Amino acid sequence: MAVISRGFGARRRESTPDLPPGQFLTTDFPVLSAGPTPEVDTAEWEFLIRTETGDEKKWSWDELQALPQETIDTDIHCVTRWSKLGTTWRGVSLDTLFAEVETSYDFTMVHSYGGYTTNLPLEDLLDGKAWIATEFDGEPLEPEHGGPARLLVPHLYFWKSAKWVRGIVMHNDDDPGFWEQNGYHTYGDPWQEQRYW
């Protein structure tokens, strides 16, 4: 069951031409989730990357926090048609996490605490395009927004920025994740309005 916040103030794209087509501008931060918010204790939190050989790189919360942190100023766009411009996040680049990962596979499946998955091409996680975000607007990321850590892939619709992230598994094929199996587009480019199949 989807959990959606109450109504939010919005402006149509016509009044803000830098919005992707079909989007509304909001100053709120709506909450949409497929089910309840999982309780994830940072003392038990772990993030891993698993390759096709079964090799795993793992980070505890403290190990993630010890890595170089970046501030990300970006716009975000939800498939439900809201966009929030000029958001500020802090987190670890996927470039840092993949630095010692050897893989010949081109696709990934991102896994979250609570069972959610989403598929992404590896190239959309690298070269400064994606982060494991732990802060929003100068504060620790709230659980309803994916805290303690979520994937941040701002150039795609926001369902690709999986909340409560716990790992990435390399795939040889672009296998669909949870929402992709339930009618959402495999890729999700907001500028192409790739919302659904």
Side-chain angles (χ1 to χ4, degrees), residues 78-184:
C78 182
V79 70
T80 60
R81 299 189 183 275
W82 62 261
S83 288
K84 186 171 177 63
L85 304 183
T87 64
T88 301
W89 304 78
R90 191 154 175 82
V92 176
S93 171
L94 267 289
D95 294 315
T96 299
L97 298 174
F98 270 92
E100 296 182 20
V101 174
E102 293 184 17
T103 181
S104 62
Y105 282 7
D106 294 326
F107 300 99
T108 70
M109 186 68 70
V110 179
H111 294 260
S112 296
Y113 290 93
Y116 175 83
T117 58
T118 190
N119 58 299
L120 286 151
L122 179 59
E123 68 181 358
D124 285 280
L125 297 179
L126 302 178
D127 297 324
K129 296 178 188 171
W131 298 264
I132 302 299
T134 57
E135 293 183 17
F136 174 76
D137 204 16
E139 298 291 333
L141 189 59
E142 294 180 14
E144 67 181 2
H145 291 301
R150 78 177 296 156
L151 183 64
L152 178 63
V153 189
H155 66 283
L156 299 177
Y157 281 125
F158 214 43
W159 92 82
K160 293 291 188 176
S161 294
K163 294 180 179 181
W164 316 297
V165 69
R166 68 178 177 88
I168 296 174
V169 178
M170 299 306 304
H171 279 229
N172 193 38
D173 299 305
D174 196 13
D175 302 315
F178 174 80
W179 283 115
E180 296 82 11
Q181 292 177 35
N182 287 283
Y184 280 46

